[in-house]
Structures are given as structure tokens and as C-alpha cells.
Amino acid sequence: MEELLAKKSQPKKHKLYKRIYIDYTNATNQEIWEGLRDNFIFGFLSSILVVFISTRIDIAVMIGYIVYYFFMGKIVNRPKYVTELGKLIVFPIPSAIGAFTGYKVSVVIVDYIKNFIFF
């Protein structure tokens, strides 16, 4: 009886890393790199829009929206991520890195627009 209770109280080992590895071996390098690139750009574009809107530079907001929605057409029309690799690594990590990079780079772009374009 004690053996049964001991077996039930042990937590099940999570095999998520194995599923991610299997997904990685089944995908081509081109598929992975395209996903990483597209998600990085998506995060980048979405975060620079926030900075442009908050600084109220209308031309930057308009150009940002045009580029963002052109790219959004590509994102919406791609196949949905169904693997653990896509859901847990290929989408969230590059998107977050792209968003942070866009947040930092947009400050430089705003300074450039304010100093050189609007004199």
C-alpha cells in the first residue's frame, strides 16, 4: 500500500524539451530562420509605433502604420504555429527581442527626425 502511495505522489516528468527537439529536427533551417526573422520584425515594428505615437510625430506614425500593416498582411496569411517549437520558442522569443530592439532604436529615429528633418 505504501508503494502505491509513493508512486502516486511523485510528479510526472515533463517531456516538453523532447517534443521541442523533435519539432526542431523535423523543421528545415529555412523554416526556422524565416519564423525567427518574421517574428523579430513583427515585434520591432509594433514597438516603434508605440514610441512614435507617444512622441506625436505624425509623419513617423503614418509611415510606421503603413509599413506595419503591409507586414501584417504577411503575418496573418502565414500558417498557424501548431508545434511546441513554434508556440514556445519561434514566436515569443524573437518577438520580445524585436520589441525591445524597436523600443531602443525608435528613440534614435525620433531624435534624427526631430534634429534633421524638422530642423
Side-chain angles (χ1 to χ4, degrees):
M1 184 71 159
E2 290 177 12
E3 291 175 8
L4 288 173
L5 291 175
K7 286 182 181 180
K8 286 185 179 182
S9 65
Q10 292 178 353
K12 293 182 180 179
K13 292 185 179 179
H14 198 52
K15 304 291 183 186
L16 182 62
Y17 67 93
K18 289 185 180 179
R19 286 188 288 175
I20 292 173
Y21 180 75
I22 290 169
D23 294 340
Y24 175 75
T25 57
N26 290 334
T28 65
N29 284 337
Q30 182 179 0
E31 290 174 331
I32 293 171
W33 282 109
E34 284 178 359
L36 294 173
R37 178 199 64 205
D38 291 349
N39 293 322
F40 178 87
I41 293 171
F42 178 69
F44 182 85
L45 291 174
S46 61
S47 70
I48 63 170
L49 275 175
V50 173
V51 175
F52 290 163
I53 292 168
S54 67
T55 57
R56 297 180 181 216
I57 300 176
D58 292 336
I59 190 72
V61 172
M62 184 184 72
I63 292 170
Y65 270 126
I66 290 170
V67 172
Y68 178 77
Y69 281 110
F70 271 117
F71 194 74
M72 181 64 85
K74 180 176 178 141
I75 294 294
V76 169
N77 292 321
R78 69 181 179 184
K80 182 180 175 184
Y81 289 120
V82 294
T83 64
E84 299 300 323
L85 176 68
K87 291 178 190 175
L88 299 175
I89 294 177
V90 174
F91 178 71
I93 294 173
S95 297
I97 293 171
F100 181 76
T101 305
Y103 159 71
K104 289 298 190 182
V105 169
S106 63
V107 174
V108 175
I109 295 170
V110 167
D111 286 342
Y112 177 78
I113 291 171
K114 285 182 176 179
N115 293 329
F116 295 108
I117 294 181
F118 293 125
F119 299 109

